[in-house]
Amino acid sequence: MKTVFTALAAYSGCAAARRYLDRTSFRKEDRLGGRVRLNTLWNEGAAFGLPIPAGALPAASAAALGLLWARRRRCPLGTGLILGGGLSNFRERLQSGRVCDYIQFPRAPKPLDRYVFNLADLCVFTGGMLCLWRNRGGGEGSRPS
């Protein structure tokens, strides 16, 4: 149940962020003293420019989300974040064939300073880190019995 609740919360947050962006018409806007830049870009390819054909992305995403759901009990919170963010990007890609990215961290170490993300990407990344941490023995109940 924790996985489903987390996935719904992440998905809802991503959808709310996109609705906000659709109602505003900014192109570039610095926030938090220049640490965060809102910069709307449309991504028709895979994350980080991975060489995955655009036509294969929806099928690959659906397969990955299905495999992840099957392993949700190992890290419910991390899996929920990945599922919510992944479903948000998946829905957007199915609707428009591309994903809107809008968060940039210009003061991040290179080469991360040049990438533009969206909230769904950050949910997927955070969820992945939680799952890795959990599998390495850092999470509650991760010790073998």
Side-chain angles (χ1 to χ4, degrees), residues 18 22 27 40-46 54-55 57-58 88-101 118:
R18 282 292 292 127
D22 288 342
R27 281 289 164 212
T40 304
L41 295 173
W42 288 98
N43 180 359
E44 294 181 11
L57 283 172
S88 177
N89 276 344
F90 183 63
R91 177 194 50 84
E92 192 166 356
R93 194 167 296 283
L94 285 178
Q95 285 181 336
S96 64
R98 56 191 185 167
V99 174
C100 180
D101 291 331
N118 61 29

Side-chain angles (χ1 to χ4, degrees), residues 26-106:
F26 69 86
R27 281 289 164 212
K28 272 191 182 178
E29 185 177 315
D30 285 345
R31 300 276 176 104
L32 299 173
R35 289 180 184 88
V36 175
R37 177 175 294 142
L38 298 180
N39 184 14
T40 304
L41 295 173
W42 288 98
N43 180 359
E44 294 181 11
F48 302 109
L50 293 173
I52 300 172
L57 283 172
S61 296
L65 291 172
L67 289 172
L68 188 62
W69 178 255
R71 298 182 53 88
R72 69 190 176 277
R73 287 185 179 84
R74 295 190 70 144
C75 181
L77 183 61
T79 302
L81 285 170
I82 295 169
L83 287 170
L87 286 171
S88 177
N89 276 344
F90 183 63
R91 177 194 50 84
E92 192 166 356
R93 194 167 296 283
L94 285 178
Q95 285 181 336
S96 64
R98 56 191 185 167
V99 174
C100 180
D101 291 331
Y102 48 85
I103 302 170
Q104 188 174 16
F105 300 102

